[in-house]
Amino acid sequence: MAGKLLNFSGGGRTSSEVTLIRAITFLAGVDPDKHQTYDDLAADAEDMAKVAANHGAIVVAADYADVMTAFAASQTAMAAVAASQTAMAAVIASPVALNAVVSSQTAMAAVWASATARSAVTGSATGRNALKASPLVRENTSICPTQDKYWNSGFGTFAFKGFLIATKCGNSDNAFTIRSVVDSKILTSDMQTRNAAVKNNTGYYDWLEHNPNDSYVQEHITYWAYYTTTAIKYL
């Protein structure tokens, strides 16, 4: 591609889309005439791997909402982005890119599936804050549907895949113990001591911030709970 002149005439495409596609692909070593739209590029696994691995290309892409929205909506594109430390660093560094990723169920599925991507977002204060602010965050307020249901009568379980964001028991006593998260790992004893809510505080405990390395849930959490006001937020 060295020495190839860039022709920015774009047929039916907008000039800005043409310019960006050609710039991104050229930097990544991909024929700048090959792809017609952001979606076209996002659907090409081989070329997306090149874009994701090239610092210059992915940094350019990460600054544009239209590009990152297309990438975030594509399983193919996000598989490449999530697998690349270079790409994930660019995503974390760009508010535009990070917002696109944490706002897309498709993108988050790729993040969950990649240890590289999970480490990037949970290992960064910027990434953790974006996860907490994601419109995809859900709340379950029925963790303990009946008072004393689980505290003295075995474990409760709640199935989901993603990040455990925050927990609370909604009572002055912190009677909510997460026993296992992160690929069904049994947590260490010091993390099991009614740690999932703050004593004398009825608000949420920021689990993601306090336990970033124990925030990914592959299948379910197990726990003891007591109060019907027990709740979690998860993504």
Side-chain angles (χ1 to χ4, degrees), residues 54-78:
N54 185 281
H55 178 265
I58 196 64
V59 165
V60 171
D63 275 342
Y64 290 89
D66 288 351
V67 180
M68 289 308 304
T69 297
F71 287 3
S74 166
Q75 291 180 340
T76 300
M78 279 307 305

Side-chain angles (χ1 to χ4, degrees), residues 48-134:
M48 273 305 309
K50 293 178 182 178
V51 170
N54 185 281
H55 178 265
I58 196 64
V59 165
V60 171
D63 275 342
Y64 290 89
D66 288 351
V67 180
M68 289 308 304
T69 297
F71 287 3
S74 166
Q75 291 180 340
T76 300
M78 279 307 305
V81 170
S84 167
Q85 290 182 336
T86 297
M88 286 307 302
V91 167
I92 297 298
S94 167
V96 169
L98 191 53
N99 180 67
V101 168
V102 301
S103 298
S104 166
Q105 196 71 47
T106 298
M108 288 309 302
V111 170
W112 297 331
S114 168
T116 296
R118 294 197 305 268
S119 296
V121 292
T122 60
S124 158
T126 301
R128 293 192 297 273
N129 288 336
L131 291 176
K132 296 172 201 176
S134 167

Side-chain angles (χ1 to χ4, degrees), residues 129-149:
N129 288 336
L131 291 176
K132 296 172 201 176
S134 167
L136 302 178
V137 170
R138 291 170 288 176
E139 183 179 35
N140 185 323
T141 58
S142 301
I143 287 291
C144 188
T146 304
Q147 195 94 323
D148 200 21
K149 180 175 178 59

Side-chain angles (χ1 to χ4, degrees), residues 170-192:
N171 191 284
S172 58
D173 183 16
N174 54 346
F176 181 29
T177 298
I178 301 293
R179 180 173 182 266
S180 62
V181 300
V182 195
D183 301 338
S184 299
K185 181 179 73 175
I186 303 299
L187 298 181
T188 58
S189 59
D190 61 318
M191 294 182 70
Q192 292 184 47

Side-chain angles (χ1 to χ4, degrees), residues 14-37:
T14 65
S15 60
S16 60
E17 186 172 15
V18 173
T19 302
L20 281 172
I21 290 172
R22 291 175 66 76
I24 292 165
T25 53
F26 184 79
L27 287 168
V30 175
D31 184 348
D33 294 322
K34 181 177 180 180
H35 297 288
Q36 303 302 305
T37 65

